[in-house]
Amino acid sequence: MLENPPKALTICIYNDKGGVGKTTTTINLAAILRQQHKKVLVVDFDPQQGDLTDSLGLQEGKVKLSDCLVEEALNVKETLQAFNLKDKAGLLVKVFDVIPSDSGLSKFMSYEYEAKIEKGSAMLRYLLDIFVSKYDYILIDAPTNWTFFSKSCVIASDVILMPTEHNNFSSLKNAAKVIKEFLPEVKKLRQDGGPIALPIFFNKHKETEASIKRANAEIKAILTLKKADNYLLDTNLLPYYWPKSTKTVIDTTIFSVPEYEVVSTAAFSRKPAVFQHKKAAEYYLKLAKEYFLYE
């Protein structure tokens, strides 16, 4: 499916732990895919922060995603907003489309309002279905914690991309929770085998020998089951942490996106880092090629 998607590949950027750079990853991945001449739609389904929407300098429109969740008569296409940048001639050029977060989403944090959504957490998937033949990639920025919102994002997706940090052990542990607990719940609901999780990657990576040693020790603990005095690797989780390993050869190589100052400060300029610096573009192109682009 990754090599030959029959329609838009829908990617949920998610980790149950916050602060790992989900929004930054979403924005820059969308930008670098656009540089590769792909048509991209970005969805901000965060009810509280809406950082992606703010980082791009966008605002909610007249037709809001929150309204579309409960009013099927509304045209979800009217929620689209273009993220534009000026070219060298000073003309505005569309980079990608965005369905922004809006103030009305927060009311669905209450079960009383959530119950009014006819299709429940499957509604976002239903709404996005109209776009799958119009784009190459749909990227969904999901909030943390396993709520109606994050569950909706995962249900709507083909694949789950999970940023982690090598020095943030909770992000490593919570990735296992997504794979072992949350995804089986969604697969049971969907009954079509999806979505699938992709191997983790280290985000904002600034390694030292000691920190990588600690990270690998933590991953080994996650992958290890105690049975008497023997330790056996959990081969079900192994491909998601150390994807180059086999049952006989352990390779602890993990793809990483290095820490880079322009990436963290790009939101102030309302412009993705990949358009501001060649080095940032190189990082995210490698990320896109690692998971999504095939030459």
Side-chain angles (χ1 to χ4, degrees), residues 12 29 35 45 53 74 79 88 105 137 142 150 167 169 174 192 195 202 208 218 221 232 263:
C12 174
L29 181 57
Q35 277 196 343
F45 205 55
T53 299
L74 293 176
T79 65
K88 293 181 179 180
L105 287 174
Y137 295 92
S150 52
N167 57 358
F169 299 137
N174 284 352
D192 63 356
F202 288 151
T208 64
E218 181 70 15
L232 304 173
V263 174

Side-chain angles (χ1 to χ4, degrees), residues 186-206:
V186 171
K187 287 175 183 285
K188 185 177 180 180
L189 177 68
R190 280 184 33 175
Q191 293 291 306
D192 63 356
I196 63 170
L198 301 175
I200 66 165
F201 72 96
F202 288 151
N203 202 23
K204 299 181 285 184
H205 194 52
K206 189 177 181 180

Side-chain angles (χ1 to χ4, degrees), residues 22 53 72 75 99 103 133 157 161 165 186 235 255:
K22 296 187 300 296
T53 299
E72 289 198 43
N75 186 350
I99 298 180
S103 56
S133 62
S157 301
L161 180 64
E165 292 182 333
V186 171
T235 54
F255 183 82

Side-chain angles (χ1 to χ4, degrees), residues 61 63-65 68 75-81 98-100 131:
V63 177
K64 303 174 181 61
L65 183 55
C68 293
N75 186 350
V76 69
K77 292 181 180 179
E78 295 182 19
T79 65
L80 294 178
Q81 292 191 33
V98 180
I99 298 180
F131 298 115

Side-chain angles (χ1 to χ4, degrees), residues 44-50 53 59-71 100-110 112-114 116-117 148-149:
D44 185 353
F45 205 55
D46 191 326
Q48 290 182 297
Q49 294 180 308
T53 299
Q59 297 179 346
E60 59 187 56
K62 291 182 179 180
V63 177
K64 303 174 181 61
L65 183 55
S66 60
D67 295 330
C68 293
L69 291 174
V70 290
E71 299 180 37
S101 179
D102 65 77
S103 56
L105 287 174
S106 60
K107 66 187 177 186
F108 295 108
M109 296 177 68
S110 163
E112 175 188 355
Y113 280 93
E114 180 187 334
K116 295 181 179 180
I117 302 175
F148 161 76
F149 294 94

Side-chain angles (χ1 to χ4, degrees), residues 280-295:
E282 290 175 358
Y283 293 161
Y284 284 97
L285 181 57
K286 287 180 181 178
L287 176 69
K289 287 182 175 180
E290 178 73 11
Y291 293 100
F292 307 115
L293 298 176
Y294 291 83
E295 298 176 333

